[in-house]
Amino acid sequence: MRDITKVRNIGISAHIDSGKTTLTERILFYTQRIHAIHEVRGKDGVGAKMDSMELERERGITICSAATYCDWKDHAVNIIDTPGHVDFTIEVERALRVLDGAVLILCSVGGVQSQSITVNRQMTRYRVPRVAFINKCDRTGANPDRVIKQIREKLGLNAVPIQVPMGLEGDMQGLIDLVQMKAVYFDGENGDKIRIEEIPAQYKEECDIKREEMLDAVSMFSDELMEAVLEGTPTEEMIMAAIRTGTLSMEFTPVMMGTAYKNKGVQLLLDAVVSYLPCPTDVDNFALDLDHEEAEVKVSNVSSDPLLALAFKLEDGRYGQLTYVRTYQGTLKKGDSIVNVRTGKKAKVGRLVRMHSDDMEEIDEAGAGDIVALFGIDCASGDTFTSGSDYNFSMTSMHVPAPVISLSITPIDNKAQDNMSKALNRFTKEDPTFKTYVDQETLETIISGMGELHLDVYVERMKREYKAEVTVGAPQVAYRETITQRAEFNYTHKKQTGGSGQFGRVAGFIEPMEEGEYEFVDQIVGGSVPREYIPSCDKGFQKCLDKGALVGAHVTGVRCAINDGASHAVDSSDIAFQLAAQGGFKEAYMKAKPVIMEPIMKVAVEGPTEFQGSIMGSLNQRRGMIIGTNEEDAYTVIEAEVPLSEMFGYSTDLRSLTQGKAEFTMEFATYRQVPKSVAEELIAKALKNKKQ
Amino acid sequence: MLKQDLIEKNPIRHLKGESDAKESSRMGLVMARPGVGKTALLVQIALDSLMNDKQVVHVSVGQSLDKTKLWYDDMFKDIADGCKLENAGEIHDSIMKNRMIITFNESKFSLAKLEERLHDLVQQNVITPSCMVVDGFDFAQTDRKVLEEMRELAKTMDLQIWFSAVCTDGNECQCASGVPAPCKGMEDLFNTVVLLQPVPQSDCIDLKVLKGSAAVSKCGKLLKLDTRTFMIREDCK
């Protein structure tokens, strides 16, 4: 078993197209896991190793986070390559949960883009220490200093460069390491021969200044270094130790640079991962004690303790279901029996493998802090495994955002029908943001998720992996309904049909609430509604929430209270009170002035300045509220809040408007009330659908 | 309190001139040492225009979009809470539609660019501002000419423009007469010049009107600001 202090679980995350996958590819090459470099969109057609899914290779983007493992200078490094697109946020979040440290990649030209901000926020939420890597320094317009400034301003990180580039853009020759004060060149066809030399004279002065700045910043984290700096004798070890302390405390972010594509700086980044990012024992992970009201308990990271492992990713590979797990404490051994805390079911560890994107390596056991994959274990992602049922802990539940867009899918024939349900079953297990249900009125299957691309990818995967051809309906925005004022009800449900009838009367009110979806308040005094029927009322109200009376959207933000009622000794029943509650809700609902809410997306469009006017016009047309513009050198970033329903097909419009020179990203921001004219339209449409 | 009351009660009107009639093509300047509340007062001025259903452009030099937006959200919330504004959420949503933030990097600011941007906005029918606040404009680095051009712009676009400037010299800030550096000798370009000064051991900020219309002097030239909401206090003594 490995020494736990020599394990690094790191993630690589960044904005789309800033070169995560290319960088990972280089890392695998230098650590000798792969023996040839394939480009993401390379001409050889092999595609990058990490993008194993056919679709990923085709589109040149990473969809699923892939896990891989490599060795660097006697350390074991587990790398999770995370997707950059916002629609796949859940993959990023899940990956972050199991990571101890991360590399934040930024493009030297694009700098801190909207997705970098999202990812950074997520990393802060999960307290993931990070180092920054400014990639693509070979591109025209590369300006690491500007990017560093942006990291400080936009991400609020104490970013300090520990390297100085020798030349930028086309003539980048190498890097100067400010810790060792040496120039590093990357020779050979693949940059694998490292040559260390003295710093060239023309960079000397700049390096002295930058080193001074860096020492100033890191000496905050080590008194020893502070003294040594004052005496003028800081050693390499001292500086590195201080950088490490600073990085782990998340109060310092070392910044490195290079260009993965041109093979520069990757080895130094690996050195930094090993030197500055935490090992599993350096970070505190917490489990929830289910026996003690989910109290937080720190995991021990000791291999001899009872097992605690989290399944963070499922994959349906060609060898059956593959479950990626991270062990937090204890040992996962082949042949051991483990318990799924959620279901309470026992399972036996069959094959245990270490993953390398889509190749694998059989192993017998995995100690605390490791990331491995299991075969043939039935579970959903986010499940916790322990060594026995008496050990009732769960790793924290993960933050799952609600889907904002949905569309109907119809299989083209019976065979496709079977395959489709198989595929849906699999996808919903893999991805908690992907949901599916059957619309009771239209009997259509509805899938919902985080964005157009998100659903696109699943429909595409259904076709390719499950041979389920489906016709896809127009995307629908997940509207919501909520009420704006308090309204009372007093409803009697009475039905007399020969035998025992149904009787129940409930009175109370519904009112809006600021936070939360639904709350039930029982204000019955004196037993006017018998105790046993109170839960029936709750159930009745909840049934009404699925479909609001305005447009049939989900109703949220409602507090339902009952304060009076009546029952009948013989005719009252569970169902009678459920129906009474439903009747009461319906009676009060329209009086409570219901409104329709729609998802609003935060949209950021980046484009050349000359198109700024027309971009703004296009957002304006789409009911967008332009928040502002930010002038960078030759391009402008426009930020706006736009209703999701207006964003369909925007990429095409934007492309034709700007000759393909602008790109946009969007992410869910909030729900907001739709304007009156739109609301009327929606209501009319809903009415028409109902009649049909 | 209702929105209308808030508009009428807001003493910022004293600063902006007597009535709406002469509001356009005025230039105002807020000066203070760093950290006293220039941005806050500018946002307050902008919010007042927004409350009047006017459209506002906020030009921020050297500050990010998100930060500037936060200023507005926080100030609005403080004001709304402070005077118990009804329907605050709705009013917020409706007035923020009339606000547009343009941010520049410190080195990238140029009048030509700003002008182009403003014309774009009007042309695309995104916003037709009647008030513009410029925060972080570097007076030390600009000469008179740029400001004269700004005045021209204010006139042609029918704009009211408010600037903020950092007093570089602490001592001169103390002296009551005259406009301190770096805006010395430029006061003729502005209709109103105010200086913010913290009052020791109190929750007030002195608002000294160095140059202003008669409407202001009626109040006795020395107004006080509440440090939290930056509303000018009514008990201006």
Side-chain angles (χ1 to χ4, degrees):
Chain A
M1 196 169 300
R2 290 185 302 201
D3 178 1
I4 193 168
T5 57
K6 299 214 163 155
V7 175
R8 297 285 178 277
N9 294 320
I10 62 153
I12 294 186
S13 47
H15 192 81
I16 320 154
D17 259 358
S18 40
K20 287 177 304 294
T21 306
T22 309
L23 180 74
T24 316
E25 195 78 4
R26 294 301 183 278
I27 291 176
L28 294 180
F29 179 77
Y30 295 130
T31 56
Q32 282 153 24
R33 295 286 314 188
I34 56 173
H35 301 288
I37 292 174
H38 302 288
E39 300 307 337
V40 176
R41 279 180 246 212
K43 291 195 181 79
D44 56 5
V46 180
K49 188 79 176 172
M50 293 297 276
D51 286 346
S52 52
M53 207 186 289
E54 203 181 329
L55 196 60
E56 293 182 326
R57 286 188 183 154
E58 232 167 66
R59 296 200 177 194
I61 55 169
T62 308
I63 295 165
C64 289
S65 45
T68 193
Y69 153 83
C70 62
D71 280 307
W72 182 253
K73 297 197 176 157
D74 168 38
H75 285 69
V77 183
N78 290 309
I79 303 167
I80 315 275
D81 181 19
T82 47
H85 202 281
V86 232
D87 284 5
F88 303 98
T89 302
I90 193 72
E91 291 273 353
V92 185
E93 297 228 3
R94 252 193 272 164
L96 289 177
R97 181 71 187 84
V98 297
L99 298 174
D100 299 319
V103 178
L104 186 65
I105 304 181
L106 300 152
C107 171
S108 70
V109 184
V112 174
Q113 289 154 299
S114 58
Q115 175 73 5
S116 324
I117 297 173
T118 314
V119 170
N120 186 60
R121 201 169 48 225
Q122 289 164 340
M123 286 189 187
T124 309
R125 186 185 308 146
Y126 290 105
R127 295 199 55 79
V128 180
R130 61 215 95 147
V131 297
F133 182 74
I134 301 176
N135 196 13
K136 299 193 180 180
C137 282
D138 58 317
R139 265 183 67 183
T140 324
N143 186 350
D145 287 338
R146 194 188 69 210
V147 180
I148 290 167
K149 207 169 147 234
Q150 287 181 346
I151 301 176
R152 286 188 195 141
E153 279 171 6
K154 293 193 182 169
L155 304 182
L157 298 177
N158 180 17
V160 179
I162 57 169
Q163 291 173 342
V164 168
M166 286 187 282
L168 281 172
E169 302 184 356
D171 57 347
M172 187 181 179
Q173 286 143 10
L175 292 159
I176 296 166
D177 184 339
L178 293 177
V179 176
Q180 300 174 18
M181 283 306 262
K182 287 276 191 281
V184 185
Y185 296 90
F186 305 87
D187 294 341
E189 192 193 332
N190 292 317
D192 43 355
K193 295 188 188 74
I194 293 181
R195 178 159 56 91
I196 295 179
E197 281 183 18
E198 287 305 316
I199 299 173
Q202 78 258 41
Y203 294 112
K204 192 81 182 122
E205 198 182 331
E206 187 192 352
C207 291
D208 284 341
I209 298 170
K210 290 259 170 86
R211 179 177 158 101
E212 198 68 21
E213 281 171 13
M214 178 199 69
L215 287 178
D216 259 3
V218 289
S219 54
M220 302 299 293
F221 303 101
S222 158
D223 293 342
E224 193 194 7
L225 178 67
M226 178 103 69
E227 275 170 34
V229 170
L230 287 176
E231 285 162 18
T233 55
T235 63
E236 254 174 59
E237 287 74 33
M238 275 183 207
I239 303 173
M240 285 172 70
I243 295 179
R244 183 177 170 83
T245 315
T247 310
L248 294 193
S249 69
M250 297 189 31
E251 280 162 25
F252 180 84
T253 309
V255 180
M256 273 156 294
M257 43 205 93
T259 154
Y261 185 65
K262 293 279 166 65
N263 309 311
K264 286 184 176 46
V266 179
Q267 293 94 328
L268 298 185
L269 178 65
L270 275 168
D271 285 344
V273 163
V274 167
S275 318
Y276 308 136
L277 286 180
C279 74
T281 49
D282 286 331
V283 283
D284 294 340
N285 281 303
F286 294 93
L288 299 178
D289 186 348
L290 299 178
D291 291 338
H292 293 95
E293 292 175 341
E294 301 208 336
E296 278 194 352
V297 182
K298 206 179 139 195
V299 301
S300 72
N301 279 313
V302 177
S303 292
S304 53
D305 274 353
L307 176 77
L308 203 51
L310 176 73
F312 64 95
K313 184 169 170 48
L314 306 183
E315 228 175 58
D316 209 16
R318 51 196 134 121
Y319 318 98
Q321 178 175 311
L322 197 59
T323 310
Y324 287 82
V325 293
R326 146 122 200 215
T327 55
Y328 286 90
Q329 62 178 45
T331 308
L332 204 55
K333 262 201 209 90
K334 210 168 159 177
D336 270 3
S337 71
I338 53 175
V339 174
N340 182 336
V341 174
R342 186 178 56 92
T343 59
K345 275 189 192 147
K346 266 195 178 177
K348 206 165 171 166
V349 180
R351 280 173 73 196
L352 198 60
V353 292
R354 176 157 287 138
M355 288 306 292
H356 170 222
S357 199
D358 58 356
D359 303 338
M360 55 190 78
E361 183 187 322
E362 267 326 292
I363 50 170
D364 287 331
E365 58 176 22
D370 219 340
I371 290 179
V372 290
L374 293 170
F375 269 108
I377 301 279
D378 182 41
C379 67
S381 73
D383 283 1
T384 305
F385 290 107
T386 61
S387 48
S389 48
D390 53 329
Y391 199 71
N392 208 3
F393 285 88
S394 172
M395 298 312 296
T396 27
S397 59
M398 287 183 259
H399 174 87
V400 179
V404 290
I405 181 171
S406 62
L407 47 83
S408 68
I409 50 172
T410 325
I412 51 162
D413 52 30
N414 270 345
K415 201 168 148 256
Q417 167 93 52
D418 283 358
N419 291 340
M420 183 182 88
S421 47
K422 246 186 251 166
L424 290 179
N425 193 12
R426 158 105 272 123
F427 297 155
T428 44
K429 253 188 188 177
E430 274 180 20
D431 180 352
T433 56
F434 179 77
K435 303 222 164 73
T436 170
Y437 63 94
V438 175
D439 187 319
Q440 290 305 330
E441 279 168 21
T442 59
L443 295 177
E444 278 172 325
T445 305
I446 310 288
I447 55 174
S448 53
M450 301 314 295
E452 255 180 312
L453 181 65
H454 189 209
L455 296 182
D456 254 19
V457 163
Y458 279 117
V459 170
E460 200 61 34
R461 280 183 65 188
M462 248 186 266
K463 257 180 225 163
R464 286 164 193 245
E465 292 168 33
Y466 290 87
K467 300 201 170 40
E469 288 278 345
V470 294
T471 46
V472 179
Q476 299 284 325
V477 169
Y479 289 103
R480 283 187 186 168
E481 290 180 27
T482 190
I483 54 172
T484 55
Q485 65 179 46
R486 183 183 147 125
E488 314 237 338
F489 60 85
N490 185 348
Y491 186 85
T492 310
H493 174 72
K494 218 176 349 183
K495 206 171 176 188
Q496 217 65 52
T497 46
S500 73
Q502 289 180 351
F503 180 86
R505 183 175 81 85
V506 285
F509 60 88
I510 59 175
E511 65 178 4
M513 61 178 185
E514 292 275 315
E515 271 164 48
E517 298 212 339
Y518 164 76
E519 199 179 88
F520 176 70
V521 184
D522 167 24
Q523 293 179 349
I524 299 277
V525 280
S528 50
V529 173
R531 283 290 103 194
E532 67 260 39
Y533 297 133
I534 304 269
S536 314
C537 299
D538 187 4
K539 233 194 244 164
F541 288 130
Q542 289 195 37
K543 275 191 181 158
C544 296
L545 299 177
D546 282 345
K547 272 195 186 289
L550 277 184
V551 289
H554 192 64
V555 182
T556 60
V558 183
R559 183 180 291 117
C560 299
I562 50 169
N563 50 27
D564 197 14
S567 63
H568 185 273
V570 182
D571 289 349
S572 282
S573 62
D574 172 46
I575 192 74
F577 272 97
Q578 279 195 36
L579 289 170
Q582 286 181 31
F585 188 89
K586 276 177 194 149
E587 183 184 302
Y589 190 69
M590 290 318 275
K591 282 193 286 184
K593 295 239 161 76
V595 290
I596 308 168
M597 311 282 280
E598 64 181 343
I600 304 289
M601 310 301 277
K602 186 176 162 194
V603 179
V605 191
E606 298 178 29
T609 306
E610 67 259 36
F611 294 115
Q612 207 217 26
S614 38
I615 294 172
M616 268 194 297
S618 72
L619 289 169
N620 212 25
Q621 264 171 23
R622 291 169 183 264
R623 283 203 282 128
M625 181 174 125
I626 295 168
I627 294 168
T629 64
N630 186 22
E631 308 277 331
E632 298 279 342
D633 295 322
Y635 66 95
T636 307
V637 185
I638 302 168
E639 264 183 42
E641 289 183 348
V642 191
L644 175 63
S645 57
E646 304 282 337
M647 287 303 289
F648 296 132
Y650 187 59
S651 49
T652 328
D653 274 16
L654 187 66
R655 230 175 285 141
S656 60
L657 210 59
T658 61
Q659 302 159 8
K661 284 181 186 150
E663 57 177 78
F664 81 101
T665 52
M666 66 171 178
E667 73 183 294
F668 171 69
T670 180
Y671 266 93
R672 199 171 288 153
Q673 191 179 332
V674 300
K676 221 174 184 167
S677 57
V678 182
E680 278 162 8
E681 223 170 273
L682 286 170
I683 292 170
K685 211 166 107 195
L687 213 66
K688 208 171 114 201
N689 284 347
K690 227 183 234 172
K691 274 183 192 148
Q692 274 173 0
Chain B
M1 192 187 273
L2 293 171
K3 187 179 162 194
Q4 198 53 39
D5 294 336
L6 182 61
I7 296 170
E8 277 161 21
K9 267 185 85 176
N10 195 342
I12 202 99
R13 330 234 79 226
H14 294 310
L15 266 188
K16 293 176 90 178
E18 182 109 48
S19 66
D20 294 44
K22 279 284 284 171
E23 247 190 61
S24 61
S25 72
R26 291 168 62 97
M27 295 245 281
L29 176 66
V30 178
M31 303 192 71
R33 272 176 291 165
V36 177
K38 291 179 299 298
T39 308
L41 187 61
L42 286 187
V43 170
Q44 162 81 344
I45 289 169
L47 275 173
D48 178 63
S49 287
L50 288 171
M51 287 280 193
N52 282 294
D53 297 322
K54 297 216 166 84
Q55 300 190 310
V56 174
V57 168
H58 183 117
V59 179
S60 186
V61 184
Q63 271 212 28
S64 74
L65 244 173
D66 283 341
K67 244 188 195 159
T68 314
K69 197 171 153 246
L70 255 184
W71 264 110
Y72 277 86
D73 291 347
D74 285 354
M75 291 273 298
F76 182 85
K77 200 170 170 290
D78 280 345
I79 293 174
D81 290 354
C83 43
K84 302 197 174 54
L85 186 68
E86 282 172 40
N87 295 335
E90 246 172 73
I91 294 175
H92 179 264
D93 286 352
S94 71
I95 66 172
M96 290 311 172
K97 274 184 201 139
N98 293 328
R99 177 210 57 197
M100 166 87 196
I101 302 167
I102 301 178
T103 61
F104 286 94
N105 277 350
E106 268 145 56
S107 51
K108 297 290 179 314
F109 179 79
S110 81
L111 186 64
K113 232 179 192 177
L114 178 64
E115 234 182 303
E116 194 190 316
R117 209 51 67 246
L118 287 174
H119 284 300
D120 265 0
L121 288 176
V122 176
Q123 221 164 53
Q124 291 288 337
N125 212 6
V126 176
I127 212 166
T128 315
S130 60
C131 174
M132 177 164 84
V133 293
V134 183
D135 193 21
F137 185 77
D138 194 349
F139 280 90
Q141 304 286 329
T142 36
D143 49 20
R144 238 187 113 85
K145 210 171 144 258
V146 177
L147 284 168
E148 277 166 7
E149 279 169 23
M150 276 280 197
R151 246 199 116 87
E152 245 351 90
L153 180 76
K155 216 175 260 165
T156 49
M157 295 199 69
D158 217 7
L159 265 179
Q160 177 182 182
I161 308 180
W162 282 82
F163 290 90
S164 68
V166 186
C167 301
T168 36
D169 198 343
N171 286 331
E172 272 192 83
C173 271
Q174 301 304 322
C175 113
S177 64
V179 177
C183 307
K184 215 170 186 168
M186 292 185 191
E187 56 265 38
D188 57 309
L189 291 170
F190 297 97
N191 302 72
T192 313
V193 180
V194 292
L195 179 67
L196 298 180
Q197 273 177 326
V199 182
Q201 272 131 38
S202 84
D203 58 348
C204 280
I205 288 172
D206 257 346
L207 196 141
K208 225 179 252 175
V209 180
L210 300 179
K211 184 185 174 189
S213 58
V216 183
S217 40
K218 253 187 254 163
C219 255
K221 280 231 166 187
L222 205 61
L223 302 168
K224 287 200 193 313
L225 291 180
D226 192 296
T227 39
R228 209 168 63 86
T229 61
F230 264 84
M231 295 278 275
I232 297 176
R233 289 201 168 184
E234 285 176 278
D235 48 338
C236 49
K237 286 168 194 155

